[in-house]
Amino acid sequence: MKKLVLLLFIASFSVVFGQTQNPTVVRMDSIRFNGDAFLGYDSFGFYYTINNNVFSKINKRETLEYKNVSLGKITKVDLQNPLKIVLFYENFNTVVTLDNQLNETQKINFSENLIPIVATAIGIASQNQLWVYNSMNQQLGLYDYLSATYKTISVPFTESIKNYVSDFNVFHWIDIKNNWYMSDIFGKITSNGKVPDFDSISIINQNQFMYSKNSVLILHDLEKETKTQIEISEKTFKKFYYKDQILSIFTATGITNYKITIP
């Protein structure tokens, strides 16, 4: 009987410990930077920024730059493929693609498309395509940039997009009521529920997201039904960036990088 009680105690302790495990956060390094936006890193060690509407690719040895004053402000940058970087200029309804040396490889003006498109969200998708949210019909579509053809894949969205992110196979968006949805490349839409109010947010996968509110950083796990505050040394910051276990905190003076292990 005593052995049974002991085993039950050990089992219950293990469950409690497993539920209270927090992410491990280790400070790595910092970079002095006073630009307008920090966009993240690629797998080759470069980091990307925007300053005075100039897009830059930087490492310890070199800095590459791209600017196009005729297209106005850069609205969105997609860095998923460092060999095909996508810049979105919403005011001119235009996308520009760059190679790894930031040479312009393609310019797509959606106003010239046979199917009327007013793009308000853009991302690179699989099979030589771009995710395009067309505000004219409030539907998500895919644009083939090799054949210059466009197809609508979704039903109309019921609310405007507040925040979005995409990978090659999934387009995630949060609407103005903080509802989180995702669509695959076939237009199948899934609801992931509601997210808390946020200043900045990073969707990690369909079950996890990280968000900040008033410079407090929270990891939210839907599957485990947990919210965990991420402890960092910065008391205030502009934005954060998370990818592949690297958490970057963008402040008024620079960027601090942390290695974060999520249990």
Side-chain angles (χ1 to χ4, degrees), residues 78 80-81 84-86 95 97 106 108 110 121-132 140-153 166-171 184-187:
D78 191 314
Q80 285 184 87
N81 182 355
K84 193 174 190 68
I85 298 168
V86 178
V95 159
T97 62
Q106 193 172 10
I108 303 165
F110 293 114
I122 290 290
I124 194 166
S126 61
Q127 301 173 354
N128 304 314
Q129 298 178 112
L130 296 173
W131 298 103
V132 180
L140 186 65
L142 289 168
Y143 181 89
D144 188 314
Y145 50 79
L146 294 184
S147 63
T149 56
Y150 176 78
K151 62 181 179 182
T152 297
I153 63 169
S166 60
D167 58 31
F168 293 111
N169 299 305
V170 180
F171 182 91
D184 63 18
I185 58 174
F186 304 105

Side-chain angles (χ1 to χ4, degrees), residues 69-93:
V69 294
S70 65
L71 293 177
K73 184 180 178 180
I74 301 170
T75 309
K76 186 80 170 181
V77 179
D78 191 314
L79 298 172
Q80 285 184 87
N81 182 355
L83 305 179
K84 193 174 190 68
I85 298 168
V86 178
L87 305 187
F88 177 37
Y89 296 84
E90 184 175 350
N91 290 341
F92 282 79
N93 206 26

Side-chain angles (χ1 to χ4, degrees), residues 25 28 41 210 217 230-232 240-249 255-260:
V25 182
M28 295 170 58
Y41 290 90
M210 197 178 294
L217 194 58
I230 306 297
E231 299 294 341
I232 56 176
F240 73 92
Y241 173 84
Y242 174 83
K243 185 179 180 182
D244 297 334
Q245 298 186 324
I246 303 298
L247 172 65
S248 302
I249 304 298
I255 304 151
T256 302
N257 297 306
Y258 294 86
K259 175 73 172 179
I260 176 169

